[in-house]
Amino acid sequence: MIPMNDHHHDDDRLDRGLAFDVGQLMNRRRALVLFAGAGAGVALAACGGGDDPEATASSTSTTTSTTEATAGGAGAPPEGGMGGAETASAGDPNAIPNETAGPYPGDGSNGPDVLLESGIVRSDITSSFGSSTTVAEGIPLTMTLTVTDSDSGDPLPGHAVYLWHCDREGRYSMYSEGVEGENYLRGVQEADDAGQVTFTSIFPACYAGRWPHVHFEVYESLDVATSSGDIVATSQLAFPEDVCADVYATDGYEQSVENLSQVSLDSDGIFSDGYDTQMAAMSGSVSAGYTADLTVPVSTS
């Protein structure tokens, strides 16, 4: 198995075929039920192989639809479209844009639920926990997300963020071929008094059809997050092109060079309708590692 695509509102996406239409009809909480039957067979087949581009997900004032696409290694087998949560921030113009969680959320909406595992609450997400201690290799990356109230701008201490992304080869732990038994590059943190959560990780790959990105979900509290409760917001963080190019020039990211050359922020299924509020502020270098900062305003009403 390996990844797929996502996005906001665009009428011209109506003719993108069955995978997209299915994504439009389901949200993340309906997805598990739908795929328990015949849909499960479709999803598994979609994770097999090939170089299909990521499908897109639509977000409206009431729901975020889905279909994320291909990721992984030298190829990029397609992922079945999943995700898309109805959240408190949907329709709030001041909030972070709601995006699809994609087909590999690991939050129980599409198969495995890492949020129920005791080791998921952590800051360093570079290694797997539990039965495996495999460490994901790559250029060091520290990400700090500041959760704020979309109306007042005040920090929201006590909120929780679940964050996940692909590895250097473009694979998602728990789903992609070869790393089904891993759970690295996934973690949950409770926001401190400044509304901040910080994750130590590695820079993700660029896989076919998607701009380099990180997925995250915001919850009202750590207890809600670790019981797979209601989601406040689901979104994605984007990386600047110059930083991506520098990282991908290093050993281990070779396939990302070609994949990055075939996609842009303006053509990406998620970020093409606007990415200013999702673009991380970056500092650092290949030799020293990078830091990424993003403010995440969410609706509290």
Side-chain angles (χ1 to χ4, degrees):
M1 294 169 64
I2 308 183
M4 292 196 70
N5 207 1
D6 10 31
H7 200 123
H8 285 246
H9 35 275
D10 277 314
D11 292 339
D12 61 358
R13 295 190 187 133
L14 297 177
D15 296 322
R16 293 202 174 182
L18 179 60
F20 180 76
D21 293 339
V22 171
Q24 291 290 86
L25 292 174
M26 63 187 177
N27 60 37
R28 291 182 50 229
R29 296 306 172 190
R30 298 188 187 120
L32 184 57
V33 176
L34 179 61
F35 274 68
V42 174
L44 291 174
C47 291
D51 287 312
D52 297 345
E54 293 191 3
T56 60
S58 294
S59 159
T60 68
S61 61
T62 57
T63 186
T64 304
S65 304
T66 155
T67 317
E68 182 156 340
T70 63
E79 302 179 359
M82 299 291 296
E86 219 171 279
T87 69
S89 290
D92 183 345
N94 298 318
I96 193 82
N98 271 286
E99 309 286 11
T100 176
Y104 305 131
D107 61 2
S109 63
N110 177 19
D113 193 345
V114 76
L115 295 175
L116 302 181
E117 299 183 23
S118 60
I120 191 61
V121 181
R122 57 189 184 149
S123 177
D124 189 336
I125 62 174
T126 54
S127 66
S128 289
F129 60 89
S131 61
S132 175
T133 57
T134 301
V135 177
E137 297 183 349
I139 298 299
L141 171 67
T142 300
M143 293 172 280
T144 297
L145 278 61
T146 303
V147 184
T148 64
D149 185 301
S150 60
D151 288 329
S152 67
D154 295 334
L156 293 175
H159 274 57
V161 176
Y162 167 46
L163 178 147
W164 72 99
H165 62 82
C166 70
D167 63 16
R168 186 173 64 178
E169 288 73 34
R171 304 171 300 183
Y172 282 88
S173 66
M174 305 174 71
Y175 294 87
S176 299
E177 183 177 358
V179 293
E180 300 94 329
E182 306 294 347
N183 51 31
Y184 56 51
L185 307 183
R186 298 177 183 274
V188 174
Q189 281 280 291
E190 181 179 36
D192 62 16
D193 290 343
Q196 294 186 333
V197 294
T198 297
F199 295 92
T200 301
S201 191
I202 58 99
F203 204 93
C206 177
Y207 53 79
R210 277 306 317 276
W211 189 260
H213 62 283
V214 168
H215 293 270
F216 62 89
E217 295 172 342
V218 180
Y219 293 81
E220 189 175 40
S221 70
L222 188 61
D223 286 344
V224 174
T226 54
S227 60
S228 293
D230 292 339
I231 300 168
V232 173
T234 303
S235 196
Q236 298 182 27
L237 172 154
F239 295 100
E241 183 174 6
D242 59 340
V243 174
C244 294
D246 288 345
V247 171
Y248 298 155
T250 64
D251 292 344
Y253 287 97
E254 288 81 4
Q255 185 61 37
S256 291
V257 175
E258 179 180 357
N259 290 336
L260 186 68
S261 71
Q262 297 174 349
V263 68
S264 69
L265 283 160
D266 291 330
S267 68
D268 180 79
I270 288 296
F271 300 125
S272 61
D273 64 346
Y275 49 83
D276 288 350
T277 60
Q278 294 164 279
M279 180 62 69
M282 303 289 299
S283 62
S285 65
V286 166
S287 58
Y290 287 93
T291 62
D293 293 279
L294 184 71
T295 298
V296 182
V298 299
S299 175
T300 57
S301 58

